[in-house]
């Protein structure tokens, strides 16, 4: 089954009740089409979205490692307690030092949380895949939010990443993201060897969330 992760970031449309409606749209379409749909709501909405929508929910970022006295930090245990299914790590907008990633991935996995680790280059993706996350995502930072799809503008990056990550024996899913706007962008990503996509602005800013998610997810079914 292929995957679409909708990252809400902190777009105003997905704040509060918006996050709930968007998560319901992702769940409905993924159920309809037999695609794995994941939504990453703004972090303060994590528990509410997970508990009332039944959607597969990931935390957008986990940065904290330490225990009780860590005011404001998002740590694996709080993500688990919020009812999330997993977490994204090392997104370009929330980079994590490699040494911390090496500790966070097994710690999240040990709590039963699925990890999507993001990388900016094929080499970084291959290195991070060795940590054993469930998903590795390639996202060139310069295309994020650009409306120009990675699968069109940098097809060789997606192909190179798939080859490098698989060469290391990675058995999980390889996703690509940045600038994904249309179903054709997704189709192209699949043709390049991706198992799915990450999308943010094209979905969150769409006038009709359900039809945009359907358009993207249809190319994954
Ligand atoms: O995590 C996905 C995100 O970084 C891609 O953003 O707006 O280019 O779809 P966008």
């Amino acid at each position: 089954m292929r995957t679409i992760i909708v990252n809400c970031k902190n777009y105003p449309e997905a704040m509060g009740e918006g996050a709930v409606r968007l998560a319901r749209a992702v769940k409905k379409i993924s159920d309809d089409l037999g695609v794995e749909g994941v939504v990453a709501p703004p972090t303060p909405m994590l528990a509410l979205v997970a508990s009332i929508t039944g959607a597969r929910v990931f935390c957008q970022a986990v940065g904290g490692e330490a225990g009780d006295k860590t005011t404001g930090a998002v740590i694996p245990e709080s993500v688990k307690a919020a009812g999330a299914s997993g977490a994204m790590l090392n997104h370009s907008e929330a980079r994590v030092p490699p040494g911390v990633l090496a500790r966070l991935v097994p710690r999240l996995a040990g709590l039963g949380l699925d990890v999507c680790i993001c990388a900016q280059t094929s080499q970084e993706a291959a290195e991070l895949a060795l940590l054993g996350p469930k998903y590795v995502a390639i996202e060139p930072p310069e295309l994020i939010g650009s409306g120009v799809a990675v699968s069109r503008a940098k097809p060789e990056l997606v192909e190179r990443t798939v080859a490098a990550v698989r060469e290391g024996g990675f058995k999980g899913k390889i996703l690509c993201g940045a600038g994904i706007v249309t179903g054709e962008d997704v189709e192209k990503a699949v043709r390049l060897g991706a198992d799915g996509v990450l999308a943010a602005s094209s979905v969150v800013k769409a006038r009709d969330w359900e039809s945009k998610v359907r358009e993207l997810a249809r190319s994954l079914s």
Side-chain angles (χ1 to χ4, degrees), residues 3-219:
T3 299
I4 178 168
I5 298 181
V6 176
N7 179 3
C8 301
K9 305 195 176 181
N10 280 311
Y11 284 115
E13 293 84 347
M15 293 291 174
E17 190 255 344
V20 172
R21 283 193 296 112
L22 182 45
R24 287 194 168 127
V26 171
K27 174 157 174 48
K28 177 176 189 297
I29 304 305
S30 52
D31 288 351
D32 282 0
L33 298 178
V35 166
E36 182 190 28
V38 176
V39 65
T43 306
M45 294 300 293
L46 199 59
L48 182 69
V49 172
S51 64
I52 72 172
T53 68
R56 193 161 153 72
V57 169
F58 279 16
C59 190
Q60 292 179 11
V62 180
E65 295 188 84
D68 306 354
K69 293 177 181 169
T70 51
T71 303
V74 177
I75 65 170
E77 288 72 12
S78 65
V79 173
K80 173 77 179 174
S85 307
M88 294 165 53
L89 281 184
N90 201 41
H91 189 279
S92 283
E93 294 153 9
R95 297 277 283 174
V96 178
V100 178
L101 286 176
R103 293 189 290 274
L104 275 177
V105 173
R107 192 157 145 205
L108 286 156
L111 292 166
L113 294 167
D114 295 331
V115 175
C116 175
I117 201 160
C118 300
Q120 298 181 333
T121 64
S122 54
Q123 193 191 333
E124 187 188 17
E127 282 165 18
L128 294 178
L130 298 175
L131 298 176
K134 181 160 181 185
Y135 314 79
V136 173
I138 180 75
E139 287 205 336
E142 67 280 10
L143 293 179
I144 291 176
S146 69
V148 178
V150 59
S151 51
R152 288 176 190 273
K154 297 207 159 183
E156 71 293 341
L157 174 65
V158 179
E159 282 179 324
R160 217 174 34 242
T161 300
V162 170
V165 169
R166 292 289 179 222
E167 199 177 298
F170 181 71
K171 297 279 190 286
K173 293 186 187 180
I174 303 173
L175 313 181
C176 68
I180 300 285
V181 174
T182 67
E184 281 177 23
D185 297 339
V186 179
E187 243 173 73
K188 189 121 208 287
V190 170
R191 279 205 298 275
L192 295 167
D195 301 298
V197 296
L198 287 103
S201 48
S202 67
V203 175
V204 179
K205 298 280 177 191
R207 233 175 286 152
D208 180 342
W209 287 339
E210 238 183 78
S211 64
K212 181 47 80 175
V213 174
R214 187 179 295 279
E215 177 191 344
L216 301 184
R218 201 180 275 130
S219 303

